Amino acid sequence: KVEKLVLNLCTGESGDKLTKAAKVLSDLTGQDPVESKARYTIRTFGIKRNEKISVHVTVRGDKAEELLKRGLKVKEYELRKGNFSDCGNFGFGIDEHIDLGIKYDTS
């Protein structure tokens, strides 16, 4: 049983990219995403402290299971041992959101 699914998109910068990432998450889940801020400044990446750099959304119930199945299908149902924690949690990344069945929006 899936208790919850957390989808996270980190753009590494605020502005237009972050807005597009938020739109992708809201299209995917039907929920409004929450913006996350950087904990500290990292000069080499050009990130300032408290700058909004990512968006995330928590999904529960049947929608979470459906999204997880779509995500695992993209990964061809194969995950590495390192993707799993001792507590029963796991995580994996997907390079392109269009693999999940979302149409690419050029605007």
Side-chain angles (χ1 to χ4, degrees), residues 22 26 32 38-39 49 51 54 62-63 72 80 82 92 98 100 103:
S26 65
D32 291 333
R39 291 187 189 146
R49 186 171 190 267
E51 181 183 12
S54 73
D62 295 335
K63 184 77 174 171
L72 287 171
R80 295 191 187 119
F92 60 93
I98 51 176
L100 292 171
K103 294 283 184 269

Side-chain angles (χ1 to χ4, degrees), residues 7-105:
L7 299 171
N8 180 38
L9 266 175
C10 184
T11 58
E13 60 186 70
S14 57
D16 198 32
K17 271 190 175 179
L18 193 65
T19 310
K20 286 181 181 177
K23 184 175 178 347
V24 166
L25 276 184
S26 65
D27 289 349
L28 188 62
T29 61
Q31 295 176 261
D32 291 333
V34 178
E35 294 177 338
S36 300
K37 296 178 181 178
R39 291 187 189 146
Y40 28 74
T41 302
I42 304 173
R43 271 215 177 119
T44 53
F45 296 143
I47 297 172
K48 297 183 196 87
R49 186 171 190 267
N50 288 332
E51 181 183 12
K52 293 177 180 175
I53 58 168
S54 73
V55 286
H56 68 272
V57 65
T58 303
V59 186
R60 297 174 192 271
D62 295 335
K63 184 77 174 171
E65 287 190 29
E66 186 249 326
L67 283 169
L68 184 60
K69 284 178 185 171
R70 281 166 54 186
L72 287 171
K73 185 178 176 187
V74 171
K75 292 298 244 183
E76 297 173 350
Y77 300 101
E78 288 185 13
L79 297 175
R80 295 191 187 119
K81 185 181 175 190
N83 291 87
F84 294 88
S85 74
D86 297 333
C87 305
N89 301 315
F90 68 97
F92 60 93
I94 296 174
D95 296 327
E96 291 291 329
H97 67 274
I98 51 176
D99 295 336
L100 292 171
I102 299 176
K103 294 283 184 269
Y104 182 69
D105 187 15

